Every structure is written in C-alpha cells, then in structure tokens.
Amino acid sequence: MTDPTPATAPSFPTAVLTDLRTLDGAVYGAVAATPTPALDSALRRLSRAADHSKISLTVAALLALRPGRPRQAAVAGAGAVALASVTANLVGKRLVRRPRPDREQARVVVGRQVPMPESASFPSGHTASATAFATAVGVLLPPLAVPLGALALAVGYSRVHTGVHYPGDVTAGALIGFAAAVAALAVVRTAPPPLPE
C-alpha cells in the first residue's frame, strides 16, 4: 500500500497573503478590544461626517471662493476626490469583493458603531477620498498639508475604530488616494492658466 500523495505547500505569494490577512484581522480585533470611551463618540461622528466626502468638498468650496492658488487647489482636490472615489468604489470593491468585518464576533462596542455599508470592504473609499484631497491640496497649499493630512489619517482610523473596515482596507485606500492626487495634480498643472478676472 502506497502512502497518499502529500499535500503541496502553498506558494510563497499565497502564504504571504494568508499571513497578511491574519495580521490584518488581529489588528482589527485589537482595536475593537481596546476601550476608548472618550474617543468613541468623536470618531463615530467624524466617520459619518466623511460620508460622500462632505468634509473635503466643503473645504474645496471654501477654497474656490479665493482666486489664484486656493482655487487651483480646490479644483485639484475635488478632481482627486472624484478619481479616488471611482477607483476605490467602482473598480477596487468590484474586483476584490472582500466581505465586511464581523463586528459582533470582534465585539466592537455598540457606542462606536456606524451603519455597516452594503458595499465590499476593500478598499476604503472614505480613506481614498480623504487622502486624495489632503495630498492634492497640501501640495499646492503647503500650510494646509499638516491639518488636512491629520484629518485624512483620522478619517482612515475612524473606519477601523467604528468596525466597518480592516486596517488593510484603509492602507489600500490611502495608496489609491495618493495615486489619484498625483494624477489630478498633473492635469491641473498642465491646464492653461485661467483668464484674468
């Protein structure tokens, strides 16, 4: 009687992907298990305020009121948000189709939760849009780089804190946001200058 054929070991890329998913889930679980009652309400409100890029588009509207570099930054920021949103929500989510985290199993505190979106989890569209806007505007208006960058980081973290995304989703969203900002800045910088008012 011959021995059964031993199971083949997974390929290196498959093994790495498995390890990354395990790590991703572990970090998500650690965030869920860490009590932060002073932050829960604020991060929940921030996460909801970032729906549909309301924060970024409000800032863009305010910048657009001033001619010159602020208006150019508003156009670049809004363009970056549009590109990041399309890439994350219409391309990334449909290609990967990663299920949302199980908040009940992770025991995410009810007081920090926002409604669970019906779309796929990967990548984070909120993070992609916030990062795209912060990067594009920050390059053209350096004094705004730090506050908008901090806001984008907070939005990304809020999506993990409220239990609707894994950290890996947020990381991927940030990378998409950076790429969208680079593309938007390239278009804005090659556009003809506006006519004098």
Side-chain angles (χ1 to χ4, degrees):
M1 182 174 179
T2 59
D3 293 333
T5 303
T8 57
S11 65
F12 180 73
T14 301
V16 169
L17 184 60
T18 299
D19 287 351
L20 288 175
R21 285 184 175 176
T22 301
L23 181 62
D24 206 18
V27 175
Y28 177 87
V31 171
T34 303
T36 53
L39 295 175
D40 291 348
S41 179
L43 288 170
R44 185 183 70 243
R45 288 196 301 269
L46 174 62
S47 186
R48 294 302 301 274
D51 288 349
H52 310 295
S53 300
K54 291 193 293 282
I55 299 174
S56 296
L57 296 180
T58 299
V59 175
L62 294 173
L63 290 173
L65 296 175
R66 299 179 58 195
R69 185 58 70 92
R71 189 168 295 168
Q72 184 185 36
V75 171
V81 167
L83 182 57
S85 181
V86 167
T87 304
N89 296 312
L90 299 184
V91 179
K93 290 182 185 293
R94 293 184 179 183
L95 286 177
V96 179
R97 298 187 180 277
R98 185 184 196 185
R100 293 278 175 172
D102 187 341
R103 286 193 295 201
E104 291 185 5
Q105 182 179 8
R107 297 182 180 178
V108 176
V109 175
V110 173
R112 66 169 65 168
Q113 294 185 16
V114 296
M116 181 67 78
E118 296 181 0
S119 60
S121 189
F122 183 96
S124 167
H126 283 64
T127 307
S129 295
T131 303
F133 184 79
T135 304
V137 173
V139 167
L140 294 173
L141 296 175
L144 294 182
V146 170
L148 289 178
L151 179 61
L153 285 172
V155 168
Y157 174 74
S158 76
R159 303 302 284 171
V160 178
H161 193 85
T162 57
V164 298
H165 276 296
Y166 293 102
D169 304 334
V170 169
T171 302
L175 293 175
I176 290 171
F178 283 126
V182 170
L185 287 167
V187 171
V188 168
R189 285 172 167 168
T190 57
L195 296 174
E197 298 182 0

